[in-house]
Amino acid sequence: MDLDDFQWLLTDEGQTLLAEATALVAEGAAPLAAGSALRRTTTPERAATALTQVELRGRAVAKFGDLAPRMYFTPAALEQATRIRVARHRAGRAAAFGAQTLVDLGCGIGGDLVATAEAGIVCAGVDLDPVRVAVARANLAALGLPGAVQVADATTVDHSGFDLAFADPARRSGAGRSSRVEDWTPPWSWVEGLLARDACVKVAPGIPHSLVPEGVEAEWVSDDGEVKEAALWAGRTATVARRATVIGVGGLATITDEDDPGVGAVGVREVGGYLYEPDGAVIRAGLVTAVAAGVGGGLVDAKIAYVTADRPFRTPFARGYRVLEPLPYREKQLKAALRERGVGRLTIKKRGVDVSPETLRKRLSLQGDAEATVVLTRVAGEGTALLVEPM
Ligand SMILES: C[S@@+](CC[C@H](N)C(=O)[O-])C[C@H]1O[C@@H](n2cnc3c(N)ncnc32)[C@H](O)[C@@H]1O
């Protein structure tokens, strides 16, 4: 979709066609049939533009929920956009920091911009790509939100007049996702400069801790159990060194290095009646021992992200399991033990051991009606299998 196609889509004629395309898809028309129905009144290109938008809106529900059917997307920009729950958390933090104005330096189709405007912050977005600028502008308008968007180069635009600068550098090149920070656009060297002011930068969750500049807070965020990103909070927005924030249907919870007494204080201990599997954001943030302290437990091994305790605890930062019994770790004996228990369906959890759950499940040739969960890990350096049950 080029800029002319998109601008046409916003005209009355374009909106009428988009509404027709939406209705056809909602009625269950197959893409080919919907395309030929639309081509009765318009060109093949315009029919395709409208249908693609309907298809993208459908895909975008996973990220934008009930906002998606009113928004506009391009395939690549949708892929790069921040999911709205994560963007809303970030915008909430920006508002709590006291930002009244924010500039989004590379706003794409406006995933973060929308959440910022919703939070009541006066926002401006820039992007190099004129189509994305037009789409972001249309998204704010479609959602009845204020904000200005223009084509500009983030690396040269003057952002000094804004309370907070935000950036979400593109990590995809023509060759796919890049983990080399100098390949980001804008690159890491520019990000480092931005981190000298009050700023927030979204980065890949795999960012090495050693790359985070002194005095900058790194926050790892998971949504529905999946680690989605890390955000670097710089200048006066930094509150701690490391933070893990987990967002779920029940709301949001956050834990920081200030909650962490360290491995020396929680220690490594024998497996108790309960096992906890920390959320990925907690693991990335290096806060497993903070979770161990929170459940009054310890680690099963100094190097493995499993926590064990004697008592059941509900925590948003880990999934809890009741430990039912140890099972043999060796494959042949494990197979026999599962046969004895009539286990036909097995969930295999593993950490710190070189096992492929798919391959192992096949080799165990499970039989029976029972369902079970087995954890394979290392305890005091030894391969260990534990029969557990989710709490
Ligand atoms: C990962 S996307 C941003 C996604 C956005 N946060 C969202 O939620 O929709 C990064 C964006 O930065 C833009 N970009 C990259 N280099 C830029 C530069 N030097 N100036 C302005 N925009 C740039 C890209 O065009 C792209 O749209």
Side-chain angles (χ1 to χ4, degrees):
M1 181 176 68
D2 66 18
L3 189 56
D4 286 342
D5 294 333
F6 183 64
Q7 267 156 355
W8 172 80
L9 197 63
L10 298 178
T11 62
D12 288 348
E13 201 190 329
Q15 293 291 296
T16 306
L17 195 74
L18 186 56
E20 280 173 32
T22 306
L24 283 166
V25 172
E27 284 158 15
L32 278 180
S36 34
L38 294 180
R39 284 197 297 273
R40 277 185 221 126
T41 58
T42 191
T43 65
E45 293 72 25
R46 288 180 173 174
T49 300
L51 276 173
T52 302
Q53 207 48 240
V54 175
E55 193 265 319
L56 288 172
R57 285 176 166 180
R59 241 196 278 166
V61 169
K63 279 192 172 177
F64 290 95
D66 60 3
L67 302 184
R70 286 179 284 156
M71 293 176 68
Y72 300 92
F73 305 96
T74 70
L78 169 58
E79 190 75 18
Q80 290 180 318
T82 305
R83 45 184 51 224
I84 196 73
R85 286 210 294 195
V86 176
R88 281 179 178 148
H89 160 61
R90 187 173 15 255
R93 256 194 90 163
F97 161 69
Q100 291 179 349
T101 58
L102 178 149
V103 60
D104 186 335
L105 300 166
C107 63
I109 55 93
D112 285 284
L113 211 53
V114 161
T116 309
E118 279 181 343
I121 299 172
V122 174
C123 59
V126 302
D127 203 288
L128 278 180
D129 179 340
V131 175
R132 292 184 180 200
V133 165
V135 173
R137 197 179 284 144
N139 281 337
L140 288 173
L143 300 173
L145 295 166
V149 194
Q150 68 179 56
V151 175
D153 186 339
T155 61
T156 55
V157 80
D158 177 11
H159 47 76
S160 58
F162 292 88
D163 294 342
L164 193 61
F166 171 72
D168 173 9
R171 303 194 293 269
R172 274 174 201 283
S173 61
R177 196 180 276 266
S178 176
S179 55
R180 289 192 32 210
V181 292
E182 268 317 298
D183 290 346
W184 295 356
T185 48
W188 177 253
S189 44
W190 174 81
V191 169
E192 270 184 311
L194 194 67
L195 294 175
R197 57 158 294 169
D198 292 336
C200 175
V201 179
K202 173 178 157 183
V203 296
I207 187 166
H209 288 205
S210 57
L211 209 59
V212 180
E214 189 66 30
V216 169
E217 172 187 334
E219 177 184 29
W220 281 264
V221 182
S222 72
D223 185 26
D224 217 6
E226 261 184 71
V227 191
K228 291 298 174 191
E229 61 168 62
L232 304 180
W233 294 90
R236 290 170 299 166
T237 70
T239 50
V240 291
R242 285 172 288 120
R243 178 188 295 276
T245 296
V246 304
I247 304 175
V249 274
L252 176 152
T254 190
I255 192 167
T256 76
D257 54 315
E258 289 180 357
D259 303 306
D260 188 6
V263 67
V266 297
V268 174
R269 48 159 287 175
E270 82 283 2
V271 176
Y274 297 87
L275 192 76
Y276 298 88
E277 184 183 32
D279 184 276
V282 168
I283 297 173
R284 295 273 196 182
L287 294 172
V288 172
T289 43
V291 169
V295 300
L299 303 181
V300 299
D301 184 288
K303 294 219 167 72
I304 293 180
Y306 277 131
V307 167
T308 184
D310 296 321
R311 285 187 302 132
F313 251 103
R314 271 196 183 282
T315 165
F317 302 112
R319 196 178 295 170
Y321 298 88
R322 210 179 318 277
V323 178
L324 302 175
E325 57 176 326
L327 290 181
Y329 183 72
R330 286 177 185 284
E331 190 179 309
K332 201 165 151 213
Q333 286 87 336
L334 178 62
K335 185 170 170 177
L338 293 169
R339 273 283 159 85
E340 237 170 67
R341 289 159 182 79
V343 174
R345 266 180 302 156
L346 185 68
T347 302
I348 302 172
K349 301 253 156 206
K350 64 133 205 171
R351 224 160 245 184
V353 290
D354 190 16
V355 172
S356 150
E358 288 70 39
T359 314
L360 176 64
R361 192 177 297 104
K362 276 196 205 114
R363 291 162 60 116
L364 290 171
S365 2
L366 303 163
Q367 276 174 26
D369 298 329
E371 196 176 336
T373 302
V374 161
V375 171
L376 301 173
T377 189
R378 239 173 330 115
V379 174
E382 289 289 310
T384 301
L386 300 167
L387 185 65
V388 302
E389 170 183 83
M391 280 202 293

